[in-house]
Amino acid sequence: MKIKFLIPILASVLSCSLWSCGGNGDEPAPPQNGSITVSNMKVTEVESTGATFSATFNLENGATYVKAGFAVADSPAPTIYNSVFDGKVNGTSFTATVTTLSPSTEYYVRAFMTVSGGEVVYSEDFRFTTEKSSVNEDIANYRGPKNPDYYVD
């Protein structure tokens, strides 16, 4: 008895999935989401432990963004899963000043924006090398060994 009721239901589900239940084929396509372009990645004011990053962006077709920033790594094509620094947006550009880099190190940086739908849009890679630290910086940042002190008075 239960099978007699299930057969028409299964037939309806199957026909809806095969022929798009209720559609006449003349329905308009869903609206396209806007797009974002991130470009003009620049690195300036490079020092031994820091640099300033900047980039520009273009919003098209009503696109909105959630976050702007810079991804940094020691290998090409850094992503948001590497070190990330938030960008400060001003008009159609954004910048960040970073002070936590290592001296004499080659880095790759890409600007990125996260679109309101969750997609991440990146700029091209930019490669730069931080400057060598000065003797004064080395002395100021020196941390002695953490061995126990067995000196006797």
Side-chain angles (χ1 to χ4, degrees), residues 80-147:
I80 59 171
Y81 299 105
N82 296 112
S83 294
V84 171
F85 301 94
D86 290 340
K88 180 179 178 183
V89 177
N90 184 10
T92 59
S93 65
F94 55 104
T95 60
T97 299
V98 178
T99 60
T100 57
L101 303 175
S102 297
S104 302
T105 304
E106 182 177 77
Y107 288 100
Y108 294 83
V109 61
R110 288 200 299 178
F112 73 88
M113 293 191 93
T114 304
V115 181
S116 58
E119 177 188 4
V120 180
V121 178
Y122 294 98
S123 71
E124 68 282 356
D125 269 22
F126 192 99
R127 185 179 71 182
F128 71 100
T129 302
T130 52
E131 294 180 2
K132 184 178 187 227
S133 60
S134 69
V135 172
N136 289 339
E137 287 175 315
D138 289 343
I139 292 170
N141 293 322
Y142 176 75
R143 301 293 175 252
K146 295 184 179 185
N147 299 334

Side-chain angles (χ1 to χ4, degrees), residues 7 15-16 24 28-29 40 46-47 61 66 85 112 119 133 139 145:
I7 291 175
S15 65
C16 279
N24 62 8
N40 298 321
V46 178
E47 298 175 355
N61 301 323
V66 176
F85 301 94
F112 73 88
E119 177 188 4
S133 60
I139 292 170

